[in-house]
Amino acid sequence: MNLYQKMWSVMELNGDSVMVSDNKQGVDRVKKERNHYAFFMESSSIEYEVQRNCDLTEVGYWLDNKAYGIAMPFS
């Protein structure tokens, strides 16, 4: 079993005690439970949060890399 499978197994096993509903809850919990809770977040969102809150730190590497675009009507 690879590292990500192990992490998911622990998260799945502990369900409600480790999962949160949204990014705000995750960020709040990280700040409240310093050194005892980590939260996985999409890279753009974590960069935004880290820039605005010096209590937060991005650790490690991205788990995945996806490109996206934004479509807008031509005017």
Side-chain angles (χ1 to χ4, degrees), residues 15 20-21 35 39 44 57 65-66 71 74-75:
V20 294
S21 298
N35 302 319
F39 183 65
S44 296
T57 303
N65 187 13
K66 291 191 173 52
F74 184 75
S75 54

Side-chain angles (χ1 to χ4, degrees), residues 16-67:
D16 292 338
S17 68
V18 297
M19 300 291 195
V20 294
S21 298
D22 56 37
N23 285 350
K24 180 176 180 350
Q25 285 183 355
V27 168
D28 290 345
R29 187 162 174 190
V30 165
K31 289 163 53 176
K32 180 180 175 185
E33 299 181 33
R34 299 187 77 50
N35 302 319
H36 298 285
Y37 188 78
F39 183 65
F40 295 95
M41 185 187 293
E42 182 269 331
S43 62
S44 296
S45 298
I46 191 63
E47 288 173 8
Y48 176 87
E49 293 291 342
V50 168
Q51 288 289 322
R52 283 152 185 77
N53 191 327
C54 60
D55 290 339
L56 299 175
T57 303
E58 182 178 2
V59 177
Y61 305 100
W62 292 354
L63 299 177
D64 194 8
N65 187 13
K66 291 191 173 52

